[in-house]
């Protein structure tokens, strides 16, 4: 649950900014607007919903496959989702150029998909 999200947080939020700062600092010709564009931020994507739904569905299937591993699996799920919440909060506030939700369609679809793990648990 956790390792791909930790790698994504480092690879998509911290690493591009760090490499951009190193390039701007070491290149003499990058000044003003050109340096600003080199350090530009990226927009936020909504692909996180699919990752969270997949993790929830996997955790809901654990009682059917290996019930002895429920506590470690749900503990890892809760820890991973807390990390995802904190990293998305940081990315939305510090590492994204804009965060725009033009409609409620993605959120409504995610709620429909979340009915799958809820039905498996019930």
């Amino acid at each position: 649950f956790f390792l791909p999200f930790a790698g994504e947080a480092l690879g998509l939020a911290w690493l591009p900014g760090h490499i951009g700062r190193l390039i701007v600092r070491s290149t003499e010709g990058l000044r003003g607007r050109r340096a600003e564009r080199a350090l530009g931020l990226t927009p936020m994507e909504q692909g996180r919903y699919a990752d969270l739904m997949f993790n929830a569905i996997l955790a809901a299937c654990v009682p059917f496959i290996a019930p002895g591993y429920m506590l470690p699996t749900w503990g890892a799920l809760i820890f991973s989702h807390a990390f995802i919440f904190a990293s998305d909060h940081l990315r939305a506030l510090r590492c994204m150029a804009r965060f725009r939700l033009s409609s409620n369609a993605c959120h409504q679809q995610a709620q429909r998909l979340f009915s799958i793990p809820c039905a498996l648990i019930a």
Side-chain angles (χ1 to χ4, degrees), residues 36-37 39-43 94-98:
E36 202 173 302
R37 275 186 278 157
L39 294 174
L41 301 173
T42 58
R94 302 282 180 205
C95 301
M96 295 293 132
R98 65 180 178 272

Side-chain angles (χ1 to χ4, degrees), residues 57-103:
I57 290 170
L58 284 177
C61 290
V62 167
F64 303 114
I65 299 168
Y69 292 104
M70 275 186 65
L71 184 63
T73 302
W74 281 91
L77 179 79
I78 290 169
F79 176 76
S80 297
H81 283 224
F83 176 80
I84 291 165
F85 177 78
S87 67
D88 280 352
H89 186 74
L90 178 73
R91 281 178 66 192
L93 293 178
R94 302 282 180 205
C95 301
M96 295 293 132
R98 65 180 178 272
F99 191 89
R100 183 180 60 132
L101 298 173
S102 58
S103 73

Side-chain angles (χ1 to χ4, degrees), residues 17-77:
H18 181 68
I19 291 174
R21 282 189 294 275
L22 291 176
I23 290 172
V24 167
R25 184 173 40 188
S26 65
T27 306
E28 187 66 32
L30 280 177
R31 299 268 184 241
R33 282 295 227 195
R34 292 181 68 203
E36 202 173 302
R37 275 186 278 157
L39 294 174
L41 301 173
T42 58
M44 187 80 164
E45 84 283 344
Q46 293 294 314
R48 179 71 72 204
Y49 275 127
D51 298 334
L52 295 177
M53 287 301 127
F54 184 68
N55 282 348
I57 290 170
L58 284 177
C61 290
V62 167
F64 303 114
I65 299 168
Y69 292 104
M70 275 186 65
L71 184 63
T73 302
W74 281 91
L77 179 79

